[in-house]
Amino acid sequence: MSHDQNTPWTVSLAAGGFAGAVEAGATVRLPHQSIPSSYPKQQQYPFEFAKTRVQLREQKGIPTPRNPFAVVAGVYRNEGLSALYKGCSALVVGSVAKDGIRFLSFDTIKETFKDPETGTLSPARNLAAGMCSGVVASIFAVTPTERMKTALIDDARNERRFTGNVQAVKLVLKEDGFLGLYRGFAGTTLKQAGATAFRMGTYNILKDYERVRDIPQTTLTNFANGSVAGIVTTLATQPFDTIKTRCQSARGATTVEAFRSVIADYGVRGFWKGTTMRLGRTVFSGGILFTTYEWAAAILNPLMRKQV
């Protein structure tokens, strides 16, 4: 994350959205004709699909395997290759919107949180700025797109009422109104607030640490910092992700109902269901996201400032 002062909001939005697009394109692989090339790499979309399936309630008499490869292979065998990509487009669109808004809001909020004397952010203020930007991203992008992604994945294994993204959105709006797109808002917002706080905060804390010690900011260090931030974020926010997934199933559930169902099904350990599958994506995506943002911002900043 760039620490240049007075970064134009257009740079934050454009660089963040572009980074989100690159991250989504690099970590989501669209289906090919054979399963062997589609699922061995953990950063590919089937593992996001598998993570969501594992977090949803098990069908009676059909326990969900813990091994992500077994989940992917079972769905491919029983439902076909296309089933593994249910909700994929919603995830991609959400990634672009989420990261554009998240970087924009973080760059804006961190200016308010900076120490007026030093112009820097303490670790606590870094986390607070990230938390606030996560709430903004949840409201304007993450909750509705995550709701539709999860609903599509859940519907595909049960009722199969959804035939596509547009039809699914129309049906949700018809049955539940506009608020139907915000099922799981509390869990999603808690997850986003925590995830953005840890992701942005960890990345910036590492970057400040390296600057004090004159460690060059290269593509390698940016990628490494982003990957570490991805690990910290995943481990710290997995319970919120699990609750969010239960809330955003095809029929939906309240946050309290989702919490109780996880405890009833698996106990406290159930809140970390899907951690390995999520790590496979977030470690890789974190490195790509921040590396791309730094690169795009470095190109756009001089161009935008010349126009001011």
Side-chain angles (χ1 to χ4, degrees), residues 2 9 72 115 130 163 167 185 271 287 291:
S2 178
W9 69 268
V72 172
D115 186 302
T163 58
Q167 183 267 346
F185 175 72
F271 290 109
T291 302

PDB file of all heavy atoms in Angstrom, residues 2 9 72 115 130 163 167 185 271 287 291:
ATOM      1  N   SER A   2       0.647   2.145  -0.893  1.00  0.00           N
ATOM      2  CA  SER A   2       1.479   3.327  -0.991  1.00  0.00           C
ATOM      3  C   SER A   2       1.255   4.263   0.170  1.00  0.00           C
ATOM      4  O   SER A   2       0.146   4.488   0.599  1.00  0.00           O
ATOM      5  CB  SER A   2       1.175   4.052  -2.314  1.00  0.00           C
ATOM      6  OG  SER A   2       1.929   5.226  -2.404  1.00  0.00           O
ATOM      7  N   TRP A   9      -7.829  10.565  -5.225  1.00  0.00           N
ATOM      8  CA  TRP A   9      -8.817   9.502  -5.032  1.00  0.00           C
ATOM      9  C   TRP A   9      -9.008   8.695  -6.307  1.00  0.00           C
ATOM     10  O   TRP A   9      -9.309   7.495  -6.248  1.00  0.00           O
ATOM     11  CB  TRP A   9     -10.152  10.101  -4.573  1.00  0.00           C
ATOM     12  CG  TRP A   9     -10.884  10.909  -5.608  1.00  0.00           C
ATOM     13  CD1 TRP A   9     -10.815  12.243  -5.828  1.00  0.00           C
ATOM     14  CD2 TRP A   9     -11.828  10.398  -6.577  1.00  0.00           C
ATOM     15  NE1 TRP A   9     -11.633  12.621  -6.862  1.00  0.00           N
ATOM     16  CE2 TRP A   9     -12.280  11.510  -7.339  1.00  0.00           C
ATOM     17  CE3 TRP A   9     -12.332   9.131  -6.864  1.00  0.00           C
ATOM     18  CZ2 TRP A   9     -13.199  11.379  -8.383  1.00  0.00           C
ATOM     19  CZ3 TRP A   9     -13.248   8.997  -7.907  1.00  0.00           C
ATOM     20  CH2 TRP A   9     -13.677  10.113  -8.644  1.00  0.00           C
ATOM     21  N   VAL A  72     -14.026 -31.235  -4.513  1.00  0.00           N
ATOM     22  CA  VAL A  72     -14.037 -30.849  -5.928  1.00  0.00           C
ATOM     23  C   VAL A  72     -14.296 -32.066  -6.814  1.00  0.00           C
ATOM     24  O   VAL A  72     -15.128 -32.024  -7.740  1.00  0.00           O
ATOM     25  CB  VAL A  72     -12.703 -30.179  -6.312  1.00  0.00           C
ATOM     26  CG1 VAL A  72     -12.626 -29.961  -7.819  1.00  0.00           C
ATOM     27  CG2 VAL A  72     -12.554 -28.844  -5.580  1.00  0.00           C
ATOM     28  N   ASP A 115      -0.729  10.639  12.331  1.00  0.00           N
ATOM     29  CA  ASP A 115      -0.210  11.500  13.382  1.00  0.00           C
ATOM     30  C   ASP A 115       0.133  12.851  12.753  1.00  0.00           C
ATOM     31  O   ASP A 115       0.911  12.909  11.790  1.00  0.00           O
ATOM     32  CB  ASP A 115       1.052  10.864  13.977  1.00  0.00           C
ATOM     33  CG  ASP A 115       1.575  11.629  15.179  1.00  0.00           C
ATOM     34  OD1 ASP A 115       1.868  12.835  15.019  1.00  0.00           O
ATOM     35  OD2 ASP A 115       1.694  11.030  16.265  1.00  0.00           O
ATOM     36  N   GLY A 130      -8.013   0.318   8.416  1.00  0.00           N
ATOM     37  CA  GLY A 130      -8.426  -0.843   7.639  1.00  0.00           C
ATOM     38  C   GLY A 130      -9.804  -1.330   8.020  1.00  0.00           C
ATOM     39  O   GLY A 130     -10.607  -1.709   7.166  1.00  0.00           O
ATOM     40  N   THR A 163     -31.110 -20.333 -12.391  1.00  0.00           N
ATOM     41  CA  THR A 163     -30.578 -20.740 -13.700  1.00  0.00           C
ATOM     42  C   THR A 163     -29.418 -19.850 -14.150  1.00  0.00           C
ATOM     43  O   THR A 163     -28.746 -20.150 -15.122  1.00  0.00           O
ATOM     44  CB  THR A 163     -31.687 -20.685 -14.763  1.00  0.00           C
ATOM     45  OG1 THR A 163     -32.230 -19.358 -14.820  1.00  0.00           O
ATOM     46  CG2 THR A 163     -32.809 -21.663 -14.426  1.00  0.00           C
ATOM     47  N   GLN A 167     -31.153 -14.113 -13.219  1.00  0.00           N
ATOM     48  CA  GLN A 167     -32.394 -14.736 -12.751  1.00  0.00           C
ATOM     49  C   GLN A 167     -32.371 -14.934 -11.240  1.00  0.00           C
ATOM     50  O   GLN A 167     -33.385 -14.760 -10.558  1.00  0.00           O
ATOM     51  CB  GLN A 167     -32.589 -16.083 -13.462  1.00  0.00           C
ATOM     52  CG  GLN A 167     -33.883 -16.808 -13.116  1.00  0.00           C
ATOM     53  CD  GLN A 167     -33.698 -17.814 -11.959  1.00  0.00           C
ATOM     54  OE1 GLN A 167     -32.577 -18.159 -11.591  1.00  0.00           O
ATOM     55  NE2 GLN A 167     -34.823 -18.276 -11.407  1.00  0.00           N
ATOM     56  N   PHE A 185     -25.407  -9.664   6.349  1.00  0.00           N
ATOM     57  CA  PHE A 185     -24.687  -8.388   6.390  1.00  0.00           C
ATOM     58  C   PHE A 185     -23.809  -8.268   7.639  1.00  0.00           C
ATOM     59  O   PHE A 185     -22.660  -7.828   7.556  1.00  0.00           O
ATOM     60  CB  PHE A 185     -25.681  -7.224   6.345  1.00  0.00           C
ATOM     61  CG  PHE A 185     -25.040  -5.872   6.513  1.00  0.00           C
ATOM     62  CD1 PHE A 185     -24.270  -5.330   5.499  1.00  0.00           C
ATOM     63  CD2 PHE A 185     -25.181  -5.159   7.695  1.00  0.00           C
ATOM     64  CE1 PHE A 185     -23.656  -4.086   5.649  1.00  0.00           C
ATOM     65  CE2 PHE A 185     -24.574  -3.922   7.860  1.00  0.00           C
ATOM     66  CZ  PHE A 185     -23.813  -3.382   6.831  1.00  0.00           C
ATOM     67  N   PHE A 271     -15.926 -23.260  13.410  1.00  0.00           N
ATOM     68  CA  PHE A 271     -15.787 -21.896  12.898  1.00  0.00           C
ATOM     69  C   PHE A 271     -14.565 -21.737  11.998  1.00  0.00           C
ATOM     70  O   PHE A 271     -14.445 -20.753  11.281  1.00  0.00           O
ATOM     71  CB  PHE A 271     -15.716 -20.896  14.059  1.00  0.00           C
ATOM     72  CG  PHE A 271     -17.024 -20.737  14.783  1.00  0.00           C
ATOM     73  CD1 PHE A 271     -17.184 -21.252  16.063  1.00  0.00           C
ATOM     74  CD2 PHE A 271     -18.093 -20.102  14.183  1.00  0.00           C
ATOM     75  CE1 PHE A 271     -18.396 -21.121  16.734  1.00  0.00           C
ATOM     76  CE2 PHE A 271     -19.306 -19.962  14.839  1.00  0.00           C
ATOM     77  CZ  PHE A 271     -19.462 -20.477  16.120  1.00  0.00           C
ATOM     78  N   GLY A 287      -0.458 -11.557  -2.303  1.00  0.00           N
ATOM     79  CA  GLY A 287       0.765 -11.126  -2.972  1.00  0.00           C
ATOM     80  C   GLY A 287       0.477 -10.415  -4.273  1.00  0.00           C
ATOM     81  O   GLY A 287       1.045  -9.353  -4.569  1.00  0.00           O
ATOM     82  N   THR A 291       1.060  -6.210  -4.907  1.00  0.00           N
ATOM     83  CA  THR A 291       2.085  -5.964  -5.924  1.00  0.00           C
ATOM     84  C   THR A 291       1.497  -5.192  -7.093  1.00  0.00           C
ATOM     85  O   THR A 291       2.089  -4.226  -7.591  1.00  0.00           O
ATOM     86  CB  THR A 291       2.684  -7.297  -6.417  1.00  0.00           C
ATOM     87  OG1 THR A 291       3.241  -8.007  -5.309  1.00  0.00           O
ATOM     88  CG2 THR A 291       3.762  -7.044  -7.454  1.00  0.00           C
TER      89      THR A 291
END
